[in-house]
Amino acid sequence: MSEEIQPQAPVATIGGIAAYDGQEVTIRGWLYNLRESGKLLFPIFRDGTGLIQGVMFKKAVPPEMFEALKNLQLESSVLVRGKVRADQRAPGGFELDITNLQVVQAVSQDDPFPITLKEHGVDFLMEHRHLWLRTPRQNAILRVRHEVIRAVRDYLDDHGFVLVDTPIFTPAACEGTTTLFETQYFDQKAYLTQSGQLYNEATCAALGKTYCFGPTFRDEKSKTRRHLTEFWMVEPEMAYAHMDDVMDLSEQFISYIVQRVLERRPAELKTIERNTAPLERVRPPFPRISYDEAVEILKRKGSEIQWGGDFGNADETLLGEEFDRPVMVHHYPAAIKAFYMQPDPQRPDLALGVDVIAPEGYGEVIGGGERMSDYNLLLQRIREQNLPPQAFAWYLDLRKYGSVPHAGFGMGIERVVAWVCGLEHVRETIAFPRMLYRLYP
Ligand code: 4AD
Ligand code: MG
């Protein structure tokens, strides 16, 4: 392995190659593909920022260099020097007339790169996720994810929310005890966080509007296309806010994120072959319907749902199909929602919770609502749910010292990326997914 080549030409990235038209540059990358035609070799290089086709003339380089490229295995790493030439037929608009090529590390002929252009099964690709990430489609998905995350941060930072990180080791459940990952914490039990919400409620009383953004964990034994055991959630929380404020923020937030990806990542969406027409429509206002209305719609569409039941994946898909943009469903039966939800004053059997359900079958992307602000009622709920009151003493304190109406939500990044990219499954939206049967690589 050697990297001794002294770049005699400026180092360029393929993504930024247009700035070098007519000049000689050095590209540091990998051999993505190779085609041979007599005295010509047509390698395609990738460097993480794009693909470019090179042309190597047998006569333009020393014979051993021509042979070296001719026999080079895909995904070998290379330093390539060449002159940039605009060519409208070329995929990125440019080609490279190669004058020098140095192999940094040659992949062995006996052990070629396992991922080829032919179809592979999902298990095989997942087992080789560390290498699969190099392919253009996966590259594009990760870039869209990055854009979604930048948009999330920009939106909240520009709207007065303060980022406050919440802990990952926690002493108690937030979203029900059935999906807790337990771990030993010195001489006591701890759980990996399911949500930073309870802590956000403390930080919003300190700072007004806050958010946390980090990995969250759920012991989800279900094998669906929407569930990971480790996923990233962004959670804004606002003091002096109600359920309507959650809906206002949700529609603005989601619309901003989707429009920003359309604006800044058109090339990636094209690589993924995403039909962007449905995304163009994602602008406020979003339809708002009650749980009662949602149940009526579902029954009409043939669902078996009964009033009081929670929506399954199939129900969410049916609801999503009914609207051309995300739909916000509010006023769920309190019995199917978390212990901390504020009851509706008119109908206390209903909770002031709201879920945002994405169109095109992507299901719930946001869950949130107004939090219970009364001390005694909250204590009662904690007891009813058999949660340990000692672990929630600090949380109850928030209702003792200047309790105010407050509200917020959590949005799963992977669900949003799957929807924006139009993917079959959330597993491709994160570099190294963690699922029921996947802990490697
Ligand atoms: O609806 P959830 O469970 O809500 C909460 O955790 C609240 N405490 C959030 C809050 O109000 N601050 O989860 C919120 C979102 C879901 O809408 C979904 O997008 C995502 O998190 N999510 C998952 N994403 C991937 N895999 C899973 N297993 C997920 N579970 C929830
Ligand atoms: Mg939910």
Side-chain angles (χ1 to χ4, degrees), residues 56-120:
M56 187 186 269
F57 257 110
K58 195 164 190 171
K59 285 194 182 136
V61 294
E64 44 312 339
M65 196 177 283
F66 191 84
E67 284 306 305
L69 176 59
K70 192 171 155 179
N71 296 313
L72 200 60
Q73 292 291 307
L74 301 187
E75 286 302 318
S76 295
S77 40
V78 286
L79 297 173
V80 195
R81 183 142 45 91
K83 196 168 165 192
V84 180
R85 176 170 40 79
D87 184 333
Q88 291 195 328
R89 295 160 305 172
F94 294 91
E95 280 195 351
L96 197 67
D97 291 323
I98 301 170
T99 53
N100 193 301
L101 179 136
Q102 181 173 330
V103 177
V104 178
Q105 188 255 323
V107 172
S108 162
Q109 312 239 2
D110 306 327
D111 194 4
F113 192 67
I115 297 170
T116 60
L117 291 173
K118 70 165 205 231
E119 290 271 316
H120 294 286

Side-chain angles (χ1 to χ4, degrees), residues 174-175 194-195 197 200 218 220 226-228 231 233 235 237 340 364-368 371 408-412 415:
C174 177
E175 293 301 319
Q194 296 168 306
S195 159
Q197 179 201 316
N200 283 344
R218 307 248 174 127
E220 304 267 14
R226 297 174 188 167
H227 289 88
L228 297 168
F231 62 97
M233 180 153 56
E235 299 178 80
E237 190 75 21
Y340 51 71
E364 178 196 328
V365 287
I366 278 183
R371 322 307 187 183
F409 66 76
M411 185 183 86
R415 297 250 181 112

Side-chain angles (χ1 to χ4, degrees), residues 175 218 310 316 332 336-337 340-341 354-356 364-368 410 415:
E175 293 301 319
R218 307 248 174 127
D310 206 354
E316 286 180 11
Y332 283 83
I336 55 168
K337 286 292 178 187
Y340 51 71
M341 293 221 181
V354 53
D355 282 357
V356 182
E364 178 196 328
V365 287
I366 278 183
R415 297 250 181 112

Side-chain angles (χ1 to χ4, degrees), residues 339-344 348 372-384 396 399:
F339 72 95
Y340 51 71
M341 293 221 181
Q342 176 77 8
D344 179 32
M372 200 174 273
S373 47
D374 182 75
Y375 181 92
N376 290 320
L377 192 54
L378 182 60
L379 182 61
Q380 186 189 323
R381 279 296 147 79
I382 288 173
R383 289 201 174 122
E384 279 165 12
L396 284 157
R399 280 74 183 165

Side-chain angles (χ1 to χ4, degrees), residues 30 171 176 187 212 228 251 260 301 315 400 407:
W30 292 263
D187 57 355
C212 65
L228 297 168
E251 66 188 2
R260 167 107 166 229
K301 291 179 86 93
D315 293 319
K400 263 184 4 194

Side-chain angles (χ1 to χ4, degrees), residues 93-382:
F94 294 91
E95 280 195 351
L96 197 67
D97 291 323
I98 301 170
T99 53
N100 193 301
L101 179 136
Q102 181 173 330
V103 177
V104 178
Q105 188 255 323
V107 172
S108 162
Q109 312 239 2
D110 306 327
D111 194 4
F113 192 67
I115 297 170
T116 60
L117 291 173
K118 70 165 205 231
E119 290 271 316
H120 294 286
V122 170
D123 283 342
F124 179 88
L125 290 170
M126 276 296 161
E127 205 63 14
H128 294 87
R129 184 66 176 160
H130 51 300
L131 303 176
W132 187 23
L133 293 177
R134 299 183 185 190
T135 59
R137 183 178 161 83
Q138 297 305 313
N139 182 308
I141 294 169
L142 290 183
R143 283 175 186 276
V144 170
R145 176 187 172 101
H146 181 211
E147 194 63 48
V148 166
I149 291 174
R150 286 181 64 178
V152 158
R153 291 194 186 286
D154 284 349
Y155 185 91
L156 295 173
D157 294 347
D158 291 347
H159 287 79
F161 289 82
V162 180
L163 173 70
V164 184
D165 302 312
T166 51
I168 287 174
F169 284 128
T170 60
C174 177
E175 293 301 319
T177 48
T178 54
T179 62
L180 279 176
F181 272 117
E182 193 179 299
T183 174
Q184 197 58 33
Y185 192 75
F186 304 112
D187 57 355
Q188 54 177 318
K189 265 187 207 157
Y191 308 99
L192 300 183
T193 183
Q194 296 168 306
S195 159
Q197 179 201 316
L198 306 186
Y199 295 97
N200 283 344
E201 293 181 52
T203 65
C204 85
L207 293 144
K209 293 203 285 185
T210 54
Y211 71 102
C212 65
F213 186 17
T216 45
F217 307 86
R218 307 248 174 127
D219 179 355
E220 304 267 14
K221 297 265 171 11
S222 54
K223 263 183 87 177
T224 81
R225 58 198 199 88
R226 297 174 188 167
H227 289 88
L228 297 168
T229 55
E230 176 179 317
F231 62 97
W232 284 66
M233 180 153 56
V234 57
E235 299 178 80
E237 190 75 21
M238 305 170 282
Y240 289 103
H242 299 274
M243 191 177 66
D244 284 348
D245 299 302
V246 166
M247 292 198 267
D248 292 347
L249 178 63
S250 297
E251 66 188 2
Q252 294 295 336
F253 188 57
I254 290 182
S255 301
Y256 177 81
I257 293 163
V258 170
Q259 296 310 315
R260 167 107 166 229
V261 173
L262 285 173
E263 200 180 288
R264 299 207 187 170
R265 296 287 160 205
E268 283 77 6
L269 293 174
K270 198 168 165 210
T271 299
I272 305 163
E273 295 177 321
R274 175 60 158 126
N275 169 16
T276 54
L279 297 177
E280 302 283 354
R281 288 191 288 269
V282 179
R283 296 173 192 275
F286 294 172
R288 301 178 182 199
I289 62 171
S290 67
Y291 170 88
D292 293 359
E293 291 170 283
V295 169
E296 289 314 308
I297 293 174
L298 287 172
K299 282 184 175 161
R300 170 160 59 71
K301 291 179 86 93
S303 164
E304 311 260 275
I305 185 116
Q306 292 302 318
W307 195 97
D310 206 354
F311 302 144
N313 287 339
D315 293 319
E316 286 180 11
T317 300
L318 283 177
L319 270 180
E321 280 171 1
E322 188 78 0
F323 303 92
D324 71 346
R325 60 194 74 199
V327 55
M328 305 199 275
V329 183
H330 52 78
H331 283 96
Y332 283 83
I336 55 168
K337 286 292 178 187
F339 72 95
Y340 51 71
M341 293 221 181
Q342 176 77 8
D344 179 32
Q346 266 81 54
R347 280 174 69 184
D349 59 322
L350 300 184
L352 298 181
V354 53
D355 282 357
V356 182
I357 296 170
E360 301 178 80
Y362 285 93
E364 178 196 328
V365 287
I366 278 183
E370 187 171 332
R371 322 307 187 183
M372 200 174 273
S373 47
D374 182 75
Y375 181 92
N376 290 320
L377 192 54
L378 182 60
L379 182 61
Q380 186 189 323
R381 279 296 147 79
I382 288 173

